[in-house]
Structures are given as C-alpha cells and as structure tokens.
Amino acid sequence: MTVTGRPPRLLPAEELAGEPAEEPAEEQGGGPRTLLRLRPEVVVTAQGDDLELTHPWGRQRVHALGAATVQRLEALTRESADLADLERLGDGGRLLHLLRRFPYLVITTLADRFGEPIVTAVPIARSASLPDGAPAPETLVLSRFAYLRRLPEDHEGACVLESPMAPFRLTLHRPSVGAFVAAVTAARPVTEASRLAGLDPAAGRSLAALLAETGLLDDGTAGDPPLWDFHDLLFHARSRPGRHDYPTGGVYAHPEVAQLPAVPGAGARESGDGIDLPVPDWDEVIARDPLLTEVLEGRSSVRDYAAAPVTLDQLAELLYRVARIRRIVPADPEDPHGYDVVDRVYPAGGATGELEIYLSVVRCEGLVPGVYRYDAAAHRLRPRPFSGPADEAAFRELMTAAWRATGCTVDPQVLLTVTSRFGRLSWKYSQIAYALTLKHVGVVYQTLYLVATAMGLAPCGLGSGDTDAAARALGLDWTAESSVGEFLIGSRPAHLPRRATRFADIVGQARSSG
C-alpha cells in the first residue's frame, strides 16, 4: 500500500487524556501543529495490558503498557493526535515513548490551526526516526537526489517529495509547499525561501525543520554520495526492499489489464512466412563442442573478425541453442493470476519470457543485409524491410552506436539487439520488474558468450546502445518494447583459440603479496 498521508481526523485531547483541550499553539502565535498517527497498515491487537503490533515490516509484542496506553494507541490507528496534547498526558509520556520506539510506524503531519494538513511525512524504511521538532537550519538546500512527482489519480492527485537517501516520503498538500521546495533547490535562508513561497515565517521554519529531519536536505556534513548518479541510486533503492515501502515482488498490481501473449504476433513491417532456420543436430553438436570448463576459461570478448563473415547456419544454431522457446505451459483458466509460462534455455524469474532478439545484419553469408526478428517459437527469422529512408537511416545510427560501443575497433557483422516486452513482467511484478529484466539480459549475455565460444564464433557484449535508434530501426514503440542489451556476433579469426587448456588466475601472486 502507498501511504499518501490523507487529511487526518483529530483525536480530541480530552479523549486522549481526560483533560480539557488547550488552545492550539498556532492560535497563540506559534507555528503549525504537529499531528501523529499510526500507518493505516498497522494492526493493534490488545491483550489486556499487552499488545501486538502487526505492520509491513513484521510483528512486535509489547508488554505491561497499561490499559490506558493500549487504548490510546488503538485510537491512533483511526485518528491523529496533536503532539502537544500527547506531551501533556499525565502518565509520564508512555505513549510517546512507545511511538519513538517504533518510529517507522508513525505518520507525522504539519497542519494549520484547524487541523488541515500542510505536509505529511510518511516513514518508508525501518531506519526512520520520529521527527522531534529540532530547530530548523538557518540556510538550507535540497539534496540533489530529491525529486517531486505526482501520484496516480487514485491518490487524488497527491504530490510527493522523495529521495533514495531519505527514509521518509513527504506528501505536499498545498502548492505553497511545492514552491518552498523549489525555492531551496539553491541554498537559501529559511526566511527568503518562505517569502518566495508565500509562507509565513513560522510555517517556513517548521517545514525547513521537517525537511532536515526527514533527510531530504543536503546537510553539508556527510554530503550526498559523490560516486552515484541520481538515476542509478534511485533505481537501486527502489528496485530492492529496504529503502521504500511500495509493494514489491509478484503482487499482480494490474488485474484489469490482460497479460501480454507469451509469443508476440507479427509486428510492424513484417509480412510473409519468414525464413525457417535449420535445427542443429544433437549428436553433431555434442561431438564437436568443447568441455564446459574449456569454454568458461576460454571465453573472452572478440573484437576482430575473419575475412569471411559469419554464416546463416551458424546464426541459426546460435539462436536455437540460446534463445528458442522450448515449451509453453498454458495458464490455468481458473487462476486469475495465471499466465502462459515460457520455458527457455536460460533461467528467468517467473518464466515470463519477456526478452526478444532482433538481428541487424551487415555481413552474413546466406542472409540479405537488413533487420530481422527472431521468432523463438518457430525458430524462424521474420524480415522487417525498411519502409523508407528514415528507417534505413535509423539502421545506420544503430550500427554506428554499436561501433562506438566497441571503442571504434570493429565494423559489426551482425548486431543482436535484446529487447524487453516490459508488460510481461510488470503485469506480475512491482518495483523489481526492470531490475529483473536486466538480470535476464545478463543471463542471456553469458549464454551467448558460452555458446558462441563453443561454436568458434567471435562474441562481444556491448555496454550501451541507442534506445531511440533501435526503436526506429526495429519498428518498436520503445515504451512497450525497448532495447535493453546489445551483442555483436562475427566470424572468429583462425589464430584465436576457442578453448582453454588450463586455468588462468592470479591466486599465487595474490597470496604471495598479501
């Protein structure tokens, strides 16, 4: 569940403590009120003076709290309470002590004197600490990893401020808060940022303190990690549990959308029956393949080709041994989460079979230069003729990008572009879908390396490619199916062996030096 910090209903102070409510601080000339409540996923199970807390991170038992504290904690699952009222409780602040013991379960809201929310801080990691109203910094600047985004429509257009460096997510309930955040993208005094955002100084100080306590500012001491790019750190933090509270894994978050077919149909620019590829003979392959250890030790990237190019038969065997579909297990029609399982040579999470392979051919004996899609179920190449000069220009861009990725060392013979039909994964998996497809690409790379080496071809995985050129050259909508890996295949020069004859390592050297 994504907690957006919806407007809270206040728990009266007399209900909390049996005492008359005092005038809110803001009416006495102070700043915004601080409201606390438990996350909506928290379940409080009372057992006399004891209770059990069940929440997204697990479960805890707390003993000997006293019936009054148990009752007050249960109330915080339904309503918000003013921090000032909690601090006036006559039982020694036992409830506040408990909230500070489990700060990752507590939502903090800055509200105006009427209890209407201004900004809400939602803990998203167990490392979160309860904001304690520390003084605001005099000058502040936003972390370079912080970002502002709109949540989907089912969250009523809520806008949130997040950062992979912060254990909190802030929901901004008013445009003036967004303006304050924009003002501190450059280092500014709190008073100046408040004036630019149209906030009164007290509200600006409270907001600045909350930004500091929730980890969304560059604090100028430890600083932001210098070796991370923004997108890399965000991707890492959001695609693994621990630094966020979004639903993760096989949660089937899109039941209203039909799962994409296991085998894609004819695509753009495809027509006709295609080119049926020869199926390799098992006995012949087994008779000539080197041993696995010889291939593992002999594997290397080869950026040098023989004079004669790779052949169609060689490409056919490589694709068959690496990328074909071995079988499809149909979905159970009675299972709402069922989908066709795709079994391939390489392992893949969920067996979704989202990866496809396209061939961009410059030189191949038996194959006309151009673009082809590998039909992994029929072991067939589907030509994708260029529809005009723009497609042909995109093809040249794609090959130029591959040439540059090799350090401009080799003119490609055949470029294999690995694409992902993202919907096959994201239909089932949340948060981890893109990370999972990249793990699959890595498995495909290793399988291509091993099989190509065993066959005596020249393999070379590339570290980058041109997403836009690939989409135009291959005829794809890049948001639905996009390139996620590039791999060159060519003819291996005769002087390069395809197998190793011994282990190569630096074990002896490392041991003698260390």
Side-chain angles (χ1 to χ4, degrees):
M1 178 185 293
T2 299
V3 183
T4 60
R6 56 184 177 276
R9 177 182 175 274
L10 291 185
L11 197 65
E14 56 267 28
E15 185 175 331
L16 276 168
E19 301 172 1
E22 294 186 11
E23 188 180 12
E26 189 168 286
E27 293 182 3
Q28 302 174 11
R33 302 164 66 184
T34 299
L35 311 179
L36 304 180
R37 68 166 296 167
L38 293 178
R39 298 175 62 99
E41 310 99 320
V42 177
V43 177
V44 178
T45 304
Q47 299 173 346
D49 288 354
D50 301 341
L51 59 81
E52 183 175 83
L53 297 170
T54 306
H55 50 82
W57 289 281
R59 190 165 50 181
Q60 270 86 29
R61 292 185 63 84
V62 185
H63 301 284
L65 282 175
T69 302
V70 170
Q71 182 181 1
R72 290 164 184 154
L73 191 67
E74 284 185 302
L76 288 181
T77 64
R78 304 182 300 272
E79 316 290 354
S80 292
D82 196 309
L83 176 60
D85 293 333
L86 292 177
E87 290 174 337
R88 289 195 300 269
L89 291 178
D91 61 356
R94 183 177 295 180
L95 180 58
L96 263 180
H97 175 76
L98 185 64
L99 295 180
R100 291 190 175 108
R101 181 179 168 187
F102 302 108
Y104 49 88
L105 304 182
V106 183
I107 294 174
T108 302
T109 297
L110 294 183
D112 63 20
R113 63 180 180 172
F114 303 108
E116 292 299 317
I118 300 171
V119 61
T120 296
V122 180
I124 60 174
R126 292 195 68 157
S127 59
S129 298
L130 193 66
D132 59 7
E138 291 300 321
T139 300
L140 57 158
V141 62
L142 200 65
S143 166
R144 70 182 179 92
F145 290 102
Y147 62 98
L148 195 66
R149 71 184 180 97
R150 180 181 64 84
L151 288 178
E153 294 300 332
D154 57 347
H155 295 291
E156 301 179 350
C159 192
V160 295
L161 181 67
E162 299 177 291
S163 167
M165 294 292 293
F168 285 89
R169 173 178 59 250
L170 263 58
T171 303
L172 315 184
H173 300 287
R174 299 184 182 183
S176 57
V177 182
F180 185 89
V181 171
V184 297
T185 53
R188 280 196 170 91
V190 176
T191 52
E192 182 183 352
S194 302
R195 179 178 56 79
L196 291 172
L199 290 172
D200 66 77
R205 286 192 299 272
S206 296
L207 182 54
L210 188 64
L211 287 171
E213 290 187 286
T214 52
L216 287 156
L217 298 180
D218 185 343
D219 61 12
T221 54
D224 291 329
L227 297 181
W228 281 97
D229 287 330
F230 165 79
H231 63 284
D232 285 332
L233 190 62
L234 177 60
F235 174 71
H236 176 61
R238 289 297 183 264
S239 59
R240 297 179 63 84
R243 297 292 304 180
H244 67 87
D245 65 344
Y246 294 111
T248 300
V251 300
Y252 299 94
H254 305 285
E256 75 285 356
V257 180
Q259 170 64 300
L260 297 179
V263 179
R269 308 201 311 253
E270 290 183 10
S271 61
D273 296 330
I275 303 170
D276 288 339
L277 300 174
V279 175
D281 180 86
W282 173 271
D283 292 331
E284 290 182 5
V285 170
I286 293 298
R288 59 176 159 79
D289 258 9
L291 297 175
L292 174 61
T293 300
E294 293 175 328
V295 174
L296 280 169
E297 290 295 317
R299 182 220 58 80
S300 66
S301 294
V302 179
R303 300 180 183 87
D304 184 19
Y305 297 148
V310 66
T311 69
L312 177 58
D313 285 352
Q314 288 173 318
L315 284 180
E317 180 179 333
L318 179 70
L319 292 169
Y320 185 86
R321 295 176 63 179
V322 172
R324 80 183 188 281
I325 294 176
R326 297 193 293 194
R327 63 174 180 148
I328 296 175
V329 181
D332 179 356
E334 302 299 320
D335 183 0
H337 295 154
Y339 59 91
D340 292 344
V341 168
V342 180
D343 175 40
R344 279 181 159 143
V345 174
Y346 55 86
T352 55
E354 84 283 2
L355 296 184
E356 304 293 335
I357 290 182
Y358 293 77
L359 289 74
S360 297
V361 177
V362 177
R363 295 183 64 217
C364 175
E365 183 182 322
L367 201 56
V368 175
V371 171
Y372 302 81
R373 176 177 66 89
Y374 177 57
D375 184 340
H379 189 48
R380 177 182 294 146
L381 290 183
R382 300 282 189 179
R384 291 200 164 188
F386 301 132
S387 58
D391 294 343
E392 193 167 358
F395 172 80
R396 290 194 298 270
E397 289 178 40
L398 196 62
M399 304 313 293
T400 299
W403 171 69
R404 287 175 176 164
T406 67
C408 308
T409 58
V410 64
D411 291 322
Q413 291 183 0
V414 177
L415 173 67
L416 304 182
T417 300
V418 182
T419 67
S420 176
R421 294 188 294 138
F422 303 114
R424 284 288 295 176
L425 278 174
S426 59
W427 183 82
K428 176 179 179 179
Y429 295 105
S430 290
Q431 303 303 313
I432 65 171
Y434 193 75
L436 193 55
T437 210
L438 294 185
K439 291 170 184 174
H440 296 166
V441 173
V443 176
V444 170
Y445 268 38
Q446 176 72 335
T447 309
L448 280 167
Y449 265 115
L450 296 181
V451 175
T453 301
M455 291 177 58
L457 298 176
C460 182
L462 304 181
S464 63
D466 188 323
T467 297
D468 189 58
R472 289 183 284 115
L474 307 179
L476 303 173
D477 173 359
W478 77 272
T479 63
E481 179 181 355
S482 184
S483 57
V484 287
E486 290 79 20
F487 202 97
L488 289 177
I489 289 292
S491 53
R492 194 181 191 95
H495 68 275
L496 292 179
R498 63 173 176 151
R499 66 180 74 188
T501 57
R502 62 181 180 83
F503 287 116
D505 59 50
I506 59 168
V507 172
Q509 177 186 344
R511 288 179 176 177
S512 62
S513 63

